[in-house]
Amino acid sequence: GIVTNKPTLEVVQDGSQFVITATDEVGLDKLTFILNGQGYLVRAEGAKEKEFRYDLEEGDNTLEVTAYNLDGHTETFNAICHN
């Protein structure tokens, strides 16, 4: 069969920051973030692992992160953290 490996996303809250770790065996192409309604795009350029830290605002913080690997597979993670 065809192996379709999706990227792996881990999101944790470290104090007043979101810590986002994306990993992929094939290699990451890019990641998109929507943090409290603000969009970001980060190129990963084939890295196997990337870590990002974003500062949280006071109150509730919403995060949607999508990782894209070089094969075009995606994984999306949604989180809400209270700071």
Side-chain angles (χ1 to χ4, degrees):
I2 298 169
V3 178
T4 57
N5 288 334
K6 299 201 301 191
T8 302
L9 283 171
E10 181 181 80
V11 179
V12 296
Q13 184 176 354
D14 178 16
S16 61
Q17 289 187 319
F18 271 128
V19 182
I20 302 149
T21 306
T23 54
D24 189 81
E25 292 174 12
V26 174
L28 296 160
D29 177 33
K30 65 184 177 184
L31 291 99
T32 58
F33 303 93
I34 303 171
L35 178 60
N36 298 323
Q38 181 75 43
Y40 303 92
L41 168 68
V42 180
R43 299 257 173 229
E45 295 167 358
K48 304 278 191 196
E49 179 172 334
K50 293 286 263 187
E51 182 185 286
F52 305 92
R53 290 177 174 267
Y54 287 99
D55 291 329
L56 298 171
E57 297 174 4
E58 283 290 320
D60 288 330
N61 290 260
T62 59
L63 172 71
E64 179 180 301
V65 54
T66 303
Y68 299 78
N69 73 6
L70 295 173
D71 285 344
H73 301 296
T74 66
E75 183 65 80
T76 300
F77 188 97
N78 290 282
I80 298 175
C81 280
H82 188 77
N83 186 31

